[in-house]
């Protein structure tokens, strides 16, 4: 029996055994996955990222997610003592390992939120990312909708401590296929800092297919940081979908440093006037690591601003992909949308594929996009060498300078220092 057949059977069994408010979502998602399947290279959005090979090996689909031993704590982020910590183990939320410290922060099992006071929010927003992700991977996550979490921020509440979300795979008993799911609702005039990170335990292969959907209401503010520095046995498809339903502000930074295959889907859907969104990314790859960043900015209403800036440093035989799409709908007059992708190749065997795109259906807008691919600045390298700096140190200084304007977008001081240290270690500084 193939892995895909086993996965379908398991999803069908889950649907039959779990009768709750989310069952219609699971059933519709499984039907969509049966129709769409796993995307192959003929799928334009997956042209440079081969994911079907990840389904050529068996996975444990009912693995233990109750583990609360100290192993996951090795992935804790700085200043965790005061942060809100939400722990997913093998795709399922582990309440025993998690800690909610901030008043005004609601954390509930998604199936509970779907039938309580947040039922309308869940029904209206759960699965909205599927309108933009036209492939079976997003649907597959929803077909296994179990152990998911609803995160809510009360109206006019500023969450004083960041929310750390740990996606941990425990493969000590064999290969793991994990599918975490989160729905976040930030109410009017509220603010929160969300931080996602990933870690794997054991030497087995790990495949995580993760989806987070974030709803941002009127005058709300969200800072979002994703830090990926997992093992070379880990593969990840991560979808983060923002829906700005009121005038609001979103600031997102994605840092990708390691993994066999990393696919980041980041969507900004601006459904209200005067929305502001910022999307920054840095991917620093080596060996045979493959990082694919796919972004969508959908301007549906006028007077919105979006700024997108991604940078890549590629070494060894690694591969980087950037595909950014900006849509300006017919009613979205007087918007400003900017997009840029810059890359440095450090070896002859490294590759990057970059494709910034604009689709404009309005006539009174300011939009720009562009990309660059090049080598390390030879003049700058020569200048530093002529001042007595070693070649290794000179390269490290230039690469750090290239990355620093993305790192500076991490506004949380301790988190920025943590990522800066990871970069410095990679550079040998």
């Amino acid at each position: 029996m193939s892995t895909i057949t086993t996965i379908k059977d398991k999803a069908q069994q889950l649907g039959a055994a779990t009768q709750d408010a989310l069952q219609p979502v699971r059933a519709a998602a499984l039907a969509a996955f049966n129709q769409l399947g796993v995307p192959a290279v003929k799928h334009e959005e997956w042209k440079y990222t081969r994911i079907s090979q990840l389904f050529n090996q068996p996975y444990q689909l009912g693995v233990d997610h109750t583990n609360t031993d100290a192993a996951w704590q090795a992935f804790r982020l700085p200043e965790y003592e005061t942060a809100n910590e939400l722990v997913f183990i093998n795709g399922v939320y582990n309440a025993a390992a998690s800690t909610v410290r901030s008043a005004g922060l609601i954390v509930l099992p998604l199936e509970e939120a779907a039938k309580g006071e947040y039922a309308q929010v869940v029904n209206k927003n759960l699965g909205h990312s599927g309108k933009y992700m036209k492939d079976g991977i997003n649907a597959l996550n929803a077909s296994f909708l179990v152990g998911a979490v609803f995160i809510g921020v009360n109206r006019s509440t500023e969450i004083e401590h960041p929310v750390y979300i740990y996606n941990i795979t425990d493969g000590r008993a064999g290969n793991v296929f994990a599918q975490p799911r989160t729905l976040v609702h930030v109410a009017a005039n509220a603010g929160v800092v969300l931080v996602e990170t990933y870690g794997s335990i054991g030497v087995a292969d790990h495949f995580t297919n993760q989806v987070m959907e974030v709803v941002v209401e009127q005058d709300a503010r969200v800072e979002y940081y994703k830090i990926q520095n997992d093992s070379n046995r880990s593969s990840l498809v991560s979808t983060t979908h923002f829906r700005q339903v009121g005038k609001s502000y979103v600031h997102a930074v994605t840092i990708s440093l390691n993994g066999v295959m990393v696919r980041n889907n980041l969507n900004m859907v601006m459904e209200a006037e005067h929305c502001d969104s910022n999307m920054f990314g840095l991917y620093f790859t080596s060996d045979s690591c493959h990082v694919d960043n796919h972004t969508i900015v959908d301007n549906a209403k006028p007077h919105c601003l979006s700024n997108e800036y991604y940078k890549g440093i590629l070494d060894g035989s690694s591969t980087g992909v950037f595909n950014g799409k900006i849509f300006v709908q017919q009613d979205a007059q007087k918007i400003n949308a900017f997009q840029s992708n810059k890359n440095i190749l450090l070896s002859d065997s490294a590759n990057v594929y970059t494709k910034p795109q604009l689709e404009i259906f309005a006539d009174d807008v300011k939009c720009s996009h562009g990309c660059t691919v090049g080598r390390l600045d030879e003049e700058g390298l020569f200048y530093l060498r002529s001042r007595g700096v070693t070649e290794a140190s000179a390269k490290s200084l230039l690469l750090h300078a290239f990355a620093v304007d993305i790192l500076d977008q991490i506004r949380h001081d301790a988190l920025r220092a943590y990522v800066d240290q990871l970069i410095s270690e990679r550079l040998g500084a």
Side-chain angles (χ1 to χ4, degrees):
M1 183 180 294
S2 70
T3 299
I4 293 178
T5 301
T6 302
I7 288 172
K8 289 180 178 180
D9 289 347
K10 187 68 177 181
Q12 194 166 13
Q13 292 169 15
L14 176 66
T18 311
Q19 299 297 323
D20 56 24
L22 301 180
Q23 179 52 26
V25 178
R26 294 190 197 94
L30 180 57
F33 177 66
N34 286 333
Q35 178 182 4
L36 296 169
V38 176
V41 292
K42 291 184 179 180
H43 192 298
E44 183 63 28
E45 301 302 314
W46 293 85
K47 183 176 181 180
Y48 301 108
T49 300
R50 305 191 175 212
I51 192 174
S52 58
Q53 61 191 15
L54 295 175
F55 293 88
N56 291 336
Q57 58 182 315
Y59 292 102
Q60 299 180 87
L61 298 174
V63 294
D64 178 31
H65 56 264
T66 61
N67 168 48
T68 55
D69 66 23
W72 76 269
Q73 297 180 18
F75 305 101
R76 275 179 150 169
L77 295 169
E79 297 185 351
Y80 66 85
E81 300 91 345
T82 57
N84 302 283
E85 295 185 291
L86 310 184
V87 181
F88 286 81
I89 296 179
N90 294 334
V92 176
Y93 177 62
N94 190 312
S98 303
T99 305
V100 178
R101 294 182 169 93
S102 296
L105 181 69
I106 297 97
V107 179
L108 295 171
L110 188 57
E111 61 269 21
E112 182 178 331
K115 61 183 180 181
E117 63 177 296
Y118 301 103
Q120 185 175 357
V121 172
V122 174
N123 293 334
K124 185 178 180 180
N125 296 287
L126 182 65
H128 191 266
S129 59
K131 296 181 179 181
Y132 292 82
M133 313 310 298
K134 303 296 185 180
D135 59 60
I137 296 301
N138 183 273
L140 180 59
N141 178 283
S143 69
F144 278 83
L145 203 55
V146 63
V149 164
F150 174 84
I151 301 173
V153 182
N154 286 335
R155 185 184 183 93
S156 301
T157 299
E158 190 77 30
I159 302 300
E160 70 276 24
H161 300 299
V163 180
Y164 289 167
I165 301 173
Y166 302 95
N167 295 294
I168 308 297
T169 49
D170 184 354
R172 287 176 287 189
N175 297 344
V176 175
F177 182 31
Q179 300 196 87
R181 184 75 176 229
T182 310
L183 177 63
V184 183
H185 179 250
V186 186
N189 199 36
V192 67
V193 176
L194 303 170
V195 185
E196 281 197 293
T197 191
Y198 304 81
S200 54
I201 305 167
V203 297
D205 289 337
H206 307 80
F207 177 24
T208 300
N209 176 29
Q210 178 254 346
V211 176
M212 171 185 279
E213 295 171 318
V214 186
V215 186
V216 192
E217 299 280 2
Q218 181 74 22
D219 295 319
R221 302 159 303 282
V222 178
E223 288 182 33
Y224 170 79
Y225 304 106
K226 180 188 291 183
I227 303 171
Q228 299 163 331
N229 188 35
D230 212 341
S231 76
N232 57 8
R233 304 301 298 266
S234 298
S235 297
L236 170 68
V237 177
S238 174
T239 299
T240 308
H241 181 83
F242 285 95
R243 188 180 186 187
Q244 294 178 263
V245 297
K247 173 191 172 185
S248 54
Y249 176 82
V250 175
H251 182 90
V253 182
T254 302
I255 307 293
S256 299
L257 301 178
N258 198 31
V260 176
M261 188 283 296
V262 176
R263 166 73 174 236
N264 296 310
N265 299 312
L266 177 59
N267 304 335
M268 292 285 180
V269 183
M270 293 183 279
E271 299 182 6
E273 294 188 31
H274 301 288
C275 286
D276 191 344
S277 68
N278 296 282
M279 308 162 71
F280 300 96
L282 175 67
Y283 44 101
F284 188 175
T285 61
S286 60
D287 300 325
S288 58
C289 177
H290 179 100
V291 174
D292 181 349
N293 285 289
H294 262 64
T295 67
I296 294 175
V297 178
D298 189 4
N299 295 274
K301 297 294 182 180
H303 304 289
C304 291
L305 170 65
S306 65
N307 182 35
E308 183 175 1
Y309 193 24
Y310 274 66
K311 285 189 168 185
I313 303 172
L314 300 106
D315 201 357
S317 57
S318 64
T319 304
V321 181
F322 175 81
N323 189 316
K325 289 185 177 180
I326 297 176
F327 296 98
V328 182
Q329 306 299 344
Q330 188 171 359
D331 294 336
Q333 304 291 344
K334 297 188 181 301
I335 67 104
N336 293 309
F338 307 99
Q339 182 187 87
S340 178
N341 174 229
K342 296 181 178 181
N343 300 275
I344 290 179
L345 301 179
L346 298 179
S347 77
D348 293 335
S349 55
N351 293 283
V352 64
Y353 304 92
T354 177
K355 187 180 179 182
Q357 297 173 271
L358 289 173
E359 292 191 24
I360 302 174
F361 304 99
D363 55 14
D364 186 9
V365 301
K366 291 182 180 180
C367 296
S368 67
H369 66 164
C371 63
T372 61
V373 180
R375 298 286 186 178
L376 201 60
D377 181 11
E378 293 294 338
E379 289 186 5
L381 189 61
F382 175 79
Y383 176 84
L384 291 172
R385 292 297 308 279
S386 67
R387 264 63 181 172
V389 179
T390 66
E391 182 177 3
S393 296
K395 287 182 178 180
S396 177
L397 286 169
L398 290 174
L399 291 172
H400 194 275
F402 178 78
V404 74
D405 51 354
I406 303 297
L407 298 179
D408 283 347
Q409 299 302 325
I410 302 176
R411 298 172 175 175
H412 187 277
D413 292 342
L415 196 64
R416 183 175 61 254
Y418 170 75
V419 175
D420 201 353
Q421 180 62 31
L422 293 177
I423 298 294
S424 296
E425 291 174 359
R426 176 67 62 85
L427 293 171

